[in-house]
Amino acid sequence: MGLAASDVKWLFEKLRKLDFLSYHSEEELTKLVLSIKKTSFSPGKTILRQGQKGEALYIIRSGTVEVWAETPQGRKRLAGLAEGENFGEVSILTGDICNASVVAEGEVQLFSLPPDELREVVKANPLLAEKMADAISKRKGVRALGLEPAAVSSSRLLSSIKSFFGLRN
């Protein structure tokens, strides 16, 4: 079952605004939107688990989630995310494990984009890997992932992204 027209329109607007997808063409975004699925999570349900590989890029359609990390000092709440915000992109772009867990605060509806679909778009336009790595490395939210900005260089991310997507370094 496909997405409702209102969901498709909403998704195009959100994807165009995501820093690491803003360079994609209309055709590339259309391909991504057609592969996105809408799912629901009940309150308290873990969507991403720290230490595991991410399964998708998630965009919150409705509801809120909390981002938590297990640290040497104990469990720490890193952020709360709401409608229009996204998570899971670093893991699906690099193949790295998730640095935090994401839990539904209440009833949450999410759009999920599997990495295989993004991989096909990036393979068709390898320059996107550079732009995506640069956008993520410049993000204000890098610190919220439990990483220091200095530790997340554009070149390291580019190398990880190219490797994950099967592109030459």
Side-chain angles (χ1 to χ4, degrees):
M1 183 171 151
L3 298 174
S6 59
D7 285 336
V8 170
K9 181 180 179 200
W10 187 91
L11 272 167
F12 268 108
E13 290 173 13
K14 295 302 174 195
L15 292 179
R16 179 60 67 206
K17 292 179 183 175
L18 291 178
D19 56 359
F20 61 94
L21 293 179
S22 63
Y23 302 100
H24 289 62
S25 70
E26 282 299 311
E27 182 181 326
E28 291 163 338
L29 285 178
T30 298
K31 185 172 183 174
L32 294 178
V33 167
L34 292 175
S35 68
I36 289 176
K37 307 235 181 318
K38 191 174 185 179
T39 56
S40 296
F41 291 87
S42 56
K45 180 76 175 168
T46 301
I47 301 163
L48 287 180
R49 191 170 306 281
Q50 182 177 353
Q52 294 182 349
K53 288 200 177 205
E55 298 175 7
L57 158 67
Y58 295 96
I59 304 170
I60 302 170
R61 179 62 165 122
S62 66
T64 57
V65 299
E66 290 185 315
V67 182
W68 293 88
E70 295 296 334
T71 70
Q73 295 76 33
R75 191 171 189 224
K76 180 180 176 185
R77 184 180 187 274
L78 300 176
L81 303 174
E83 182 180 324
E85 295 185 279
N86 62 283
F87 58 93
E89 68 278 5
V90 174
S91 184
I92 73 155
L93 292 175
T94 64
D96 291 344
I97 60 171
C98 296
N99 294 324
S101 295
V102 179
V103 179
E105 279 190 300
E107 192 67 33
V108 177
Q109 286 192 338
L110 302 172
F111 292 118
S112 61
L113 172 65
D116 291 345
E117 299 304 326
L118 191 55
R119 182 177 294 122
E120 291 304 313
V121 170
V122 173
K123 279 185 176 180
N125 186 353
L127 288 177
L128 291 173
E130 279 183 51
K131 292 177 180 182
M132 290 164 50
D134 190 49
I136 290 174
S137 69
K138 290 179 180 173
R139 242 190 218 181
K140 293 187 292 185
V142 169
R143 196 178 307 276
L145 295 171
L147 304 170
E148 289 301 315
V152 184
S153 71
S154 181
S155 61
R156 179 190 153 292
L157 276 169
L158 178 58
S159 178
S160 294
I161 289 170
K162 282 185 170 182
S163 174
F164 185 67
F165 287 112
L167 303 172
R168 288 192 163 144
N169 277 324

